[in-house]
Amino acid sequence: MALERDTIVRTAIRLLDEVGLEKLTLRRLATELGVQAPALYWHFKNKQELLDEMAEAISVQEPLRPLAEGEPWEEWLAEWCRGQRRAFKTHRDTARLAAGTHPGTATLQTVETILESLLRAGFTRTDAMWGLGTLASFLGGFVLEEQSDQERGTSDPALFEEALESLAPYPNVRAVMAETKGPQTDASFEHGIALILSGMRARLEAQPGGR
């Protein structure tokens, strides 16, 4: 059976889950597919192109829906961020993968749709792009920390309690960690998104005729 590009991407993502980004090599992928490594170059000119398509395939698992008429843009963007976080967390090392890849057509179309929607809400192109970039940077950094904690095993409740004890010399840090259950929680993610969106709202309202 002929090797197809989509099959290679799906297999590479499965291998990513099994061995992680660092151990994902073209040689290993070729072995998994039952072919010689040079056969992959018929479909991808290099490993970077394959990684780009893997990141694209993961990001579109939770596609952006259109902004409904009269819907608050803040909640619409927050919903998209939550969906991207869910998509990233379905696979291993996705934050690191996405950080090192180039956007594909689906990602660029998502960005274009968001910018068009924010322009209709009254943003300038620059404020819309910078706001979206800040959201994306927060999202990537947050998931990176989540996945790093999972990889290290520090998300284990017992280890968390040990970490709290080690913070005894820093009472304020210890207190807030005990109260919030750590820096990477659903609540802290929502708080971060809300802070960025409120900043975007402030920029919008500061413009002449802002709303």
Side-chain angles (χ1 to χ4, degrees):
M1 184 174 65
L3 195 60
E4 296 182 355
R5 191 178 175 98
D6 184 57
T7 301
I8 297 172
V9 172
R10 289 200 312 270
T11 305
I13 291 173
R14 177 169 57 78
L15 202 55
L16 173 71
D17 290 335
E18 293 174 7
V19 303
L21 186 59
E22 301 227 345
K23 295 181 180 178
L24 177 61
T25 64
L26 291 183
R27 184 182 297 277
R28 196 164 198 160
L29 176 59
T31 299
E32 193 74 14
L33 290 163
V35 299
Q36 297 296 314
L40 299 178
Y41 291 102
W42 286 99
H43 303 274
F44 298 93
K45 62 183 178 182
N46 52 39
K47 184 179 178 181
Q48 184 61 57
E49 186 177 347
L50 171 62
L51 295 176
D52 292 347
E53 193 141 338
M54 289 168 61
E56 188 88 338
I58 292 169
S59 69
V60 298
Q61 289 178 184
E62 297 259 357
L64 176 73
R65 64 169 180 80
L67 177 64
E69 186 68 30
E71 180 182 10
W73 60 266
E74 294 100 325
E75 182 51 39
W76 176 68
L77 267 185
E79 180 186 312
W80 173 74
C81 288
R82 294 179 194 118
Q84 288 300 289
R85 181 186 175 212
R86 285 193 300 270
F88 278 12
K89 290 176 70 175
T90 59
H91 299 286
R92 184 176 175 181
D93 289 342
T94 48
R96 290 175 56 210
L97 172 67
T101 53
H102 308 103
T105 55
T107 297
L108 290 172
Q109 185 55 59
T110 294
V111 172
E112 183 68 17
T113 299
I114 292 174
L115 294 183
E116 286 175 351
S117 299
L118 293 180
L119 286 170
R120 289 199 303 273
F123 284 89
T124 66
R125 282 190 180 86
T126 299
D127 276 355
M129 190 65 180
W130 284 355
L132 176 57
T134 303
L135 281 169
S137 295
F138 171 74
L139 171 67
F142 195 94
V143 175
L144 177 63
E145 292 292 341
E146 284 187 296
Q147 294 185 322
S148 295
D149 284 348
Q150 187 175 19
E151 196 75 21
R152 294 191 300 264
T154 50
S155 56
D156 183 280
L159 293 177
F160 180 72
E161 290 302 320
E162 287 182 18
L164 279 182
E165 292 306 314
S166 71
L167 292 174
Y170 315 101
N172 288 307
V173 176
R174 187 182 188 282
V176 75
M177 289 289 282
E179 179 183 342
T180 61
K181 306 305 179 187
Q184 270 70 53
T185 63
D186 291 345
S188 64
F189 181 78
E190 291 294 330
H191 183 71
I193 293 295
L195 282 176
I196 296 169
L197 292 174
S198 65
M200 290 176 67
R201 166 59 71 180
R203 291 281 296 183
L204 177 61
E205 292 177 347
Q207 294 174 18
R211 44 195 165 126

